[in-house]
Amino acid sequence: MATPKYDALVAKVRDWSNKPEVNTIPDNVIQDCLRYSADEAYRLLRIPPLEEIVTYTITATDNQGEENSALSYTSFPIPEDLTQFIYIRTLDSSTNQTKLFNEITDKRTFFDPYAETYSSYRWMWQEDKINIRPQLGIGEVVEIHYYKRLPSLNAVFSVVPLNYLIPLSDELQPYLELVVSGGTNLYFSTANNVTKAFSTLAEATAYNVTVTTKMYIGKEVSNWLRDQNERLVIWGALYNLGAYLFDDTMEKRYQLKFMESIESLNREEKWRRSLGGNVQTNVNTN
């Protein structure tokens, strides 16, 4: 598995720590500290590179309770990489109408049909599910806008047929790299002038008995923290290394730099969003 960008990041953390000896700080400790740094960044940062929008189509199994009853609601799974919701709304391509679920409630308020709320459209997060009211119809599409975790700093693409783009040569493949050993085989066969990639020899042979076998490894997945803001994760890794080394001065110094970088990025985003916008304050006097 080739991860040159990640390997360079590990080396930079070691250089900045001024502890070149591997016996003093093993590579796996630096890798742990980088992971802790990224975890904390995802928890604190609220910026566009960490935003994501997905849609979900409601099925019969998502609806709970009797239809149109006071106790009915819709429940569906949250995205696996979610850290915080931004909004939830329905989409209707035929009418261009939308319903925004603008009130988040606690569990007791959500399940109490007589609880006082300021909006008819409310939702709650329970374990790995989103519960929303009123109950939605089967086939309705929900749009979820949220802040996400990025792939691991050392994530690579899987060697699967989907990640091989047939029109491109091996040299131009964006996700996979051709190797002579240590990789995973893909099998290629052509029928009626159409070439396809397969993960098993049996599948390729069933398509056409003439099969070409090539070996690939996955290229590194892009990561905004590692590729465009590496200083942030380096500061975070160094402050975690300070804790590992029982070096309070090092820990405090780099924790301060890490938090200052987080606050600077968030402050810049707030300033950017305020340009040309209107300041609005909502007051509920109930």
Side-chain angles (χ1 to χ4, degrees), residues 42-47 50-52 78-88 104 123 125 144-149:
Y42 299 141
R43 185 171 60 85
L44 298 173
L45 282 173
R46 295 296 176 262
I47 54 177
L50 301 184
E51 292 184 23
E52 187 68 60
I78 66 171
E80 293 183 355
D81 57 351
L82 180 145
T83 59
Q84 181 180 331
F85 289 99
I86 299 175
Y87 70 72
I88 304 172
I104 180 171
W123 64 278
W125 181 355
I144 307 167
H145 188 192
Y146 63 97
Y147 291 107
K148 65 178 180 179
R149 297 174 55 87

Side-chain angles (χ1 to χ4, degrees), residues 110-130:
F110 183 87
F111 288 113
D112 182 357
Y114 306 106
E116 183 177 354
T117 60
Y118 69 81
S119 172
S120 300
Y121 302 107
R122 57 188 187 271
W123 64 278
M124 62 164 284
W125 181 355
Q126 184 179 30
E127 297 178 352
D128 60 346
K129 296 279 189 178
I130 306 169

Side-chain angles (χ1 to χ4, degrees), residues 136-168:
L136 300 180
I138 297 172
E140 283 198 67
V141 178
V142 179
E143 179 182 84
I144 307 167
H145 188 192
Y146 63 97
Y147 291 107
K148 65 178 180 179
R149 297 174 55 87
L150 298 177
S152 300
L153 295 172
N154 62 342
V156 296
F157 289 100
S158 300
V159 180
V160 295
L162 185 63
N163 284 338
Y164 188 91
L165 305 185
I166 293 294
L168 302 180

Side-chain angles (χ1 to χ4, degrees), residues 51-241:
E51 292 184 23
E52 187 68 60
I53 296 178
V54 298
T55 58
Y56 182 85
T57 302
I58 302 301
T59 65
T61 57
D62 297 320
N63 285 337
Q64 311 296 318
E66 185 178 347
E67 185 178 359
N68 296 324
S69 73
L71 300 177
S72 64
Y73 63 96
T74 297
S75 180
F76 53 92
I78 66 171
E80 293 183 355
D81 57 351
L82 180 145
T83 59
Q84 181 180 331
F85 289 99
I86 299 175
Y87 70 72
I88 304 172
R89 67 170 181 163
T90 59
L91 298 176
D92 190 329
S93 58
S94 61
T95 64
N96 291 324
Q97 293 181 342
T98 182
K99 292 180 289 189
L100 182 65
F101 292 83
N102 206 28
E103 181 178 4
I104 180 171
T105 69
D106 59 58
K107 296 178 183 179
R108 291 188 301 175
T109 302
F110 183 87
F111 288 113
D112 182 357
Y114 306 106
E116 183 177 354
T117 60
Y118 69 81
S119 172
S120 300
Y121 302 107
R122 57 188 187 271
W123 64 278
M124 62 164 284
W125 181 355
Q126 184 179 30
E127 297 178 352
D128 60 346
K129 296 279 189 178
I130 306 169
N131 297 339
I132 59 178
R133 272 186 169 155
Q135 189 180 80
L136 300 180
I138 297 172
E140 283 198 67
V141 178
V142 179
E143 179 182 84
I144 307 167
H145 188 192
Y146 63 97
Y147 291 107
K148 65 178 180 179
R149 297 174 55 87
L150 298 177
S152 300
L153 295 172
N154 62 342
V156 296
F157 289 100
S158 300
V159 180
V160 295
L162 185 63
N163 284 338
Y164 188 91
L165 305 185
I166 293 294
L168 302 180
S169 65
D170 287 330
E171 292 75 16
L172 297 178
Q173 290 297 319
Y175 310 124
L176 303 180
E177 179 182 344
L178 182 68
V179 295
V180 296
S181 63
T184 301
N185 287 337
L186 288 180
Y187 305 90
F188 300 86
S189 57
T190 303
N192 299 320
N193 294 320
V194 178
T195 300
K196 293 185 178 181
F198 300 90
S199 57
T200 66
L201 179 60
E203 292 174 316
T205 304
Y207 187 65
N208 190 304
V209 294
T210 303
V211 177
T212 301
T213 303
K214 297 182 181 180
M215 182 176 292
Y216 299 90
I217 59 174
K219 293 184 178 180
E220 282 181 295
V221 177
S222 62
N223 184 293
W224 176 83
L225 280 178
R226 183 198 65 212
D227 302 337
Q228 299 182 45
N229 212 330
E230 69 172 23
R231 182 172 58 179
L232 178 64
V233 285
I234 289 177
W235 293 159
L238 288 169
Y239 109 66
N240 283 289
L241 272 178

